[in-house]
Amino acid sequence: MTAKIIDGKEFAANVRAQVATHVVRLKEEHGITPGLAVILVGEDPASEVYVRNKGKQTVEVGMHSVEHKLDADTTEEALLALIDQLNTDPAIHGILCQLPLPKHLNEELVINSIVPEKDVDGFHISNVGMLSTGQKSMVPCTPLGCLMMLRDHHGSLSGLNAVVVGRSNIVGKPMANLLLRDSCTVTIAHSRTKNIEELCRGADIVVAAVGRPEMITGDWIGKGATVIDVGINRIPHPEKEGKHKLVGDVHFASASQVAGAITPVPGGVGPMTIACLLANTVTACCRINGLAEPEGLTA
Ligand code: GUN
């Protein structure tokens, strides 16, 4: 069996096109332009690339984009003052503070200082609590993207056995909550799980988000299962000396021989994260303004 490849690039382009349509509607019918503010503290090269892409794509879908680049030694007080200002800025509907933050800044305090309705990352404790109690909330972008692709592939997820490998606050835990909300039977596996291979083999859906290159091989996958690979790992290229390549948490070559459908790395989940950030910004904008929210772009 050779798996269907779930094309995240194409899927993300479709989400962005839907976002752009809603942006036009909001402008034409309500005179509102959704606005996203991104804060970057310090000079982490990977974060800089990511923030640049966010800004570019925000503008491409017709939204208002603001970037705040702060020095690595910015005080917590200054960062909180900026967030306070964005919290009350009527032109801003989404605020994202790029993680990780420099060590001297308290990440939890900073995240929880963003008003929950503008927390397009879905990391605020209120949004986490609302998601886990099944209430309407802002949902973290990467799990939202995975959910969209799973719903598209399966239609209903009800009754399916899902194993989420990884228990992070950003992906694993919210992913498990979203799958539970769609009536999957959910297992969260992690580095201490004893029978992890067996658990994965029994799953209809495996979501891999552990950050261990190619850990999940084909013999861990049940025949016809859907595999969503969230991992993005840079490893030395096996054939080209001095070069690197990107691989997921799943060993693609072997897993794709067994799975029914699989996301590749790159070009799978990755492009969906920014697309879902844009979707979340439109959703936040609609909710803040008491307007009907876009269908198909929320959980
Ligand atoms: N750093 C890596 N991924 C993310 C993300 O999704 N949101 C934020 N705020 N920081 C990140």
Side-chain angles (χ1 to χ4, degrees):
M1 174 172 210
T2 307
K4 176 197 165 192
I5 309 295
I6 301 177
D7 186 343
K9 253 170 105 171
E10 188 185 325
F11 209 108
N14 187 273
V15 170
R16 288 196 301 274
Q18 288 183 62
V19 168
T21 305
H22 286 288
V23 172
V24 170
R25 180 181 59 85
L26 283 164
K27 279 186 196 172
E28 287 182 357
E29 293 177 13
H30 304 281
I32 300 167
T33 302
L36 172 66
V38 174
I39 304 169
L40 175 63
V41 187
E43 281 156 15
D44 176 56
S47 291
E48 280 185 342
V49 172
Y50 203 52
V51 167
R52 204 165 38 244
N53 284 335
K54 280 175 191 161
K56 192 166 156 267
Q57 293 188 32
T58 306
V59 172
E60 276 169 7
V61 294
M63 300 201 292
H64 172 52
S65 168
V66 180
E67 259 175 52
H68 290 273
K69 290 193 171 175
L70 307 181
D71 292 338
D73 61 357
T74 297
T75 63
E76 202 161 84
E77 203 183 4
L79 178 56
L80 294 177
L82 171 62
I83 291 173
D84 247 7
Q85 179 205 317
L86 295 168
N87 278 341
T88 53
D89 184 340
I92 296 298
H93 307 93
I95 304 170
L96 179 145
C97 186
Q98 185 68 24
L99 303 179
L101 288 170
K103 295 266 178 295
H104 68 285
L105 298 169
N106 179 338
E107 235 164 60
E108 284 176 4
L109 180 74
V110 170
I111 288 166
N112 290 325
S113 71
I114 297 172
V115 286
E117 52 277 23
K118 293 191 181 184
D119 167 38
V120 281
D121 257 329
F123 295 166
H124 191 287
I125 188 71
S126 292
N127 282 318
V128 176
M130 287 194 286
L131 175 60
S132 67
T133 50
Q135 299 177 66
K136 202 187 260 187
S137 65
M138 295 310 300
V139 174
C141 305
T142 301
L144 177 58
C146 296
L147 184 74
M148 283 181 185
M149 294 195 286
L150 283 168
R151 281 179 175 168
D152 182 71
H153 181 69
H154 286 273
S156 168
L157 303 181
S158 180
L160 297 180
N161 290 320
V163 173
V164 178
V165 188
R167 53 175 157 176
S168 71
N169 290 333
I170 294 182
V171 183
K173 287 180 199 160
M175 187 74 247
N177 267 319
L178 286 170
L179 291 167
L180 191 58
R181 219 162 75 165
D182 269 27
S183 302
C184 287
T185 303
V186 183
T187 305
I188 303 181
H190 48 79
S191 54
R192 304 283 175 90
T193 302
K194 280 184 183 151
N195 53 341
I196 192 163
E197 301 183 23
E198 194 183 318
L199 282 172
C200 287
R201 260 194 302 274
D204 302 301
I205 294 170
V206 175
V207 180
V210 264
R212 299 259 307 268
E214 300 177 318
M215 180 178 100
I216 297 171
T217 46
D219 54 334
W220 292 36
I221 303 298
K223 204 159 178 246
T226 303
V227 178
I228 304 288
D229 191 354
V230 181
I232 301 178
N233 308 289
R234 200 164 169 266
I235 62 163
H237 200 291
E239 287 127 32
K240 298 178 192 162
E241 216 182 297
K243 301 263 181 208
H244 288 85
K245 74 180 253 203
L246 287 183
V247 297
D249 292 347
V250 176
H251 185 264
F252 185 85
S254 57
S256 60
Q257 296 304 307
V258 192
I262 188 167
T263 59
V265 176
V269 174
M272 287 298 285
T273 298
I274 297 183
C276 287
L277 173 69
L278 304 175
N280 273 352
T281 305
V282 169
T283 300
C285 178
C286 291
R287 287 180 184 166
I288 288 167
N289 287 286
L291 302 169
E293 42 187 85
E295 258 177 54
L297 294 182
T298 52

